[in-house]
Amino acid sequence: MRIRNMSNEWRWTRQRRKVLETLGSRRDHPTAEDVYRDLRAQGEQVSLATVYRTLRSLEQEELARTLHGAGADRFDACIDPHYHLSCDKCGRTVDVPVAYHRPLDEAARQSGFEIRGHSLIFFGRCPRCTDEEA
Amino acid sequence: MRIRNMSNEWRWTRQRRKVLETLGSRRDHPTAEDVYRDLRAQGEQVSLATVYRTLRSLEQEELARTLHGAGADRFDACIDPHYHLSCDKCGRTVDVPVAYHRPLDEAARQSGFEIRGHSLIFFGRCPRCTDEEA
DNA sequence: CTTAATGCAAAGGTTTTGCACCCTA
DNA sequence: TAGGGTGCAAAACCTTTGCATTAAG
């Protein structure tokens, strides 16, 4: 896990640790509700409000990022630039082994915007939903 | 404007025409609320519910598409694959002159997902917000 | 005429917030 | 003990929906 913002003192409360732990342990990218349900299922005492607050603060510390799509936001504990793949049908979102394409950012700078990077999401059907289709 | 779904019979009511017209006339990508306010400002009689319903139906007909990001969804009357640029600060979203990169879709197909395409949004600061920063 | 589209208001889903209480350093 | 963190419930946002009414073809 990458350490940043050492100047910021965060209290590593049980809830905060557990939220990050849960997010990091999943290979997909859960919604806040998913994280909340996982934690409750493990018997952790936590509220949905705290999950949201924690996720947003992890985002500020660059320990997590938000993925926007149809429906609820999803969260990713890996902030290194990479792409995602999202199923139109079930919403399941996972990493995809396609390298981040930096030249695109260069090209976009010609627009006059101050570009920080880009987010790319492939859409289509996951194998599970493709099968169910048949 | 591209004509499709000729089999579908849509009633080109005044509201429907005006929503598409407004969406097409803007170079940025407005939210439903933006479209609604534009229309009301022009003295058009329309409700926000109708704007949403119309935008969603235009999307189904492939006369418009939805852009997901932080905050409210934004809409685009051009469905040809292309990229967007969105300001972190004010949310303003515009087209960017960077060509759609088809090889990425090919690469992503190795994941086993059935890929339909990808959506790419550059993020950063628009010139206006960069100036205000100073 | 017939049927879909509309407006309104209410409901639904997601996310944030105010506040009293609690915990940790 | 001081300060932020937490839970709860309410509010805020964004979007959809049910239903009576209107209007397009």
Side-chain angles (χ1 to χ4, degrees), chain B residues 6-63:
Chain B
M6 299 199 44
S7 57
N8 256 322
E9 300 222 351
W10 294 98
R11 294 196 180 176
W12 285 93
T13 59
R14 176 170 194 86
Q15 287 86 344
R16 187 177 185 78
R17 266 183 285 116
K18 288 296 183 181
V19 167
L20 184 52
E21 206 174 294
T22 297
L23 194 60
S25 75
R26 294 184 56 143
R27 320 204 66 251
D28 64 344
H29 302 305
T31 62
E33 180 81 34
D34 290 336
V35 171
Y36 172 71
R37 286 218 312 279
D38 268 21
L39 290 174
R40 300 296 293 206
Q42 293 171 34
E44 289 299 331
Q45 160 61 31
V46 70
S47 69
L48 183 54
T50 293
V51 171
Y52 271 108
R53 270 188 293 236
T54 303
L55 289 170
R56 297 302 179 200
S57 101
L58 289 172
E59 190 175 12
Q60 295 238 348
E61 293 171 75
E62 300 185 75
L63 289 173

Side-chain angles (χ1 to χ4, degrees), chain B residues 23 26-30 34 74-76 92-95:
Chain B
L23 194 60
R26 294 184 56 143
R27 320 204 66 251
D28 64 344
H29 302 305
D34 290 336
R74 290 170 176 276
F75 298 87
D76 186 346
R92 206 159 62 92
T93 301
V94 299
D95 290 342

